[in-house]
Amino acid sequence: MTQSGVTLQTHLEGRRAKLPAEYAPTVAAVVDALAGAGVQIERELAYAALHGRLGVAGGNNVTGDTVKKLDVWGHETVVAALRASRACAALVSEEAPEPVEMAEGAGQAGLVVCCDPVDGSSNLDVGGSVGTIFSLRPGRGRTPGGPGALGPGDQQLCAGYILYGPATILVYTAGDGTHGFTLDRDSGKFLLTLPDMRVPARGKTYGINEGNALTWHPGQRAYVEHLKQKDKASGRPYSLRYSGAMVADVHRTLLDGGIFMYPSDMAEPAKPKPKLRLLYEVAPMALLAEQAGGRASTGTGRCLDVVATEYHQRAPILVGSAEDVALAEDFYRR
Ligand code: AFP
């Protein structure tokens, strides 16, 4: 890792020409606002136990997860940051059943932001890594703005995540490669440390919640069994790595290669039940992986081709090294 001195803002400036001209300033403003929210979130995570902010807030969110106090606080922090940016027309958040409309950013170049403010929140009370995931789509000046979030993943102008681990790392793509920045806690600035990330063509690790194996698609089960078989030539068995926070698992996969998977529950084959949310988990991670030379599949098709018709829609994802994901798809076809 190198300390380049290139800040996130300078880097975003350099990406302007690659974005539709009218959206370049708002993309920069929104990513900057989310980075600022990330700095607040990382500080709060460090002090959460001391501030009495660990534990549950009570109730479940729209997708059925137990809501933690930090989920609520993180959502409010992101809403405030996006309002202040005056570049966001609407926010689709895991913690709000309907989009949060923002008159402040409702102009022609306003963006629709999809975000999971604190993803992996089951890790919060046990000192594990968590993250923020975001995706930006063109608002096209429509009111209300929320419906601009719907459509295929290819409509994303920008996607990224912030990983809160031993260091705070922001990774984003604006359609011109995938780039990572580390927070310099002294200056409060994100500095480029992972320019033009490239996912190795093949890896040595897989990540999946194996507790669900009994309800996987037969191809999914056969693929994981394959990864566990000993074969020196293809580097098997692969090692299992799974943290319970998608941001941490995908980050490791982008850097080291391999594959992270959250397939559908196929207990009732006619009614597959994926878990992860398309707009603020699957689609942004798929764009980041593809922009880093990796691949992201539902098992049977490209994740970015999945059309969102609902704000909290779910989709399966197998993401990581291109060759590993392609082989997994092959097992789904057999
Ligand atoms: P939470 O934010 O509700 O904890 O969910 C995290 C997550 O959406 C994703 O970050 C993880 O990869 C996945 O769920 C973990 O799910 P399991 O606990 O079912 O393995």
Side-chain angles (χ1 to χ4, degrees), residues 45-201:
L45 289 172
Y47 284 99
L50 303 173
H51 291 173
R53 278 214 231 261
L54 291 180
V56 295
N60 291 357
N61 63 24
V62 65
T63 55
D65 298 334
T66 305
V67 177
K68 300 281 180 76
K69 289 181 198 167
L70 277 167
D71 285 322
V72 177
W73 183 87
H75 168 79
E76 286 164 1
T77 301
V78 166
V79 169
L82 290 175
R83 275 196 201 288
S85 77
R86 308 186 74 79
C88 173
L91 165 69
V92 174
S93 164
E94 191 196 5
E95 304 307 332
E98 295 300 325
V100 180
E101 295 291 326
M102 298 189 187
E104 297 89 339
Q108 190 59 32
L111 296 163
V112 182
V113 178
C114 303
C115 181
D116 187 350
V118 182
D119 187 64
S121 47
S122 69
N123 279 358
L124 283 171
D125 301 346
V126 296
S129 293
V130 295
T132 298
I133 309 175
F134 57 89
S135 161
L136 278 49
R137 297 188 186 223
R140 301 185 215 283
R142 287 180 295 216
T143 311
L150 305 176
D154 276 327
Q155 287 177 355
Q156 295 173 101
L157 292 169
C158 173
Y161 59 76
I162 306 172
L163 170 62
Y164 310 104
T168 295
I169 297 170
L170 185 151
V171 173
Y172 90 98
T173 178
D176 181 29
T178 295
H179 313 279
F181 300 77
T182 302
L183 177 66
D184 175 349
R185 288 182 168 130
D186 293 333
S187 67
K189 290 192 162 98
F190 282 95
L191 300 176
L192 183 64
T193 44
L194 296 166
D196 204 10
M197 294 163 70
R198 303 309 294 165
V199 192

Side-chain angles (χ1 to χ4, degrees), residues 16 23 102 111 115 172 205 214 221 226 245 247 251 286 295:
R16 281 183 88 111
Y23 288 110
M102 298 189 187
L111 296 163
C115 181
Y172 90 98
T205 61
L214 282 183
R221 271 207 299 275
H226 169 82
V247 175
H251 186 66
R295 191 173 174 112

Side-chain angles (χ1 to χ4, degrees), residues 270-291:
K271 284 192 203 157
K273 285 194 189 135
K275 170 174 175 175
L276 300 187
R277 281 54 58 111
L278 177 57
L279 287 180
Y280 41 84
E281 291 184 312
V282 171
M285 292 307 197
L287 184 63
L288 288 158
E290 285 200 6
Q291 284 292 318

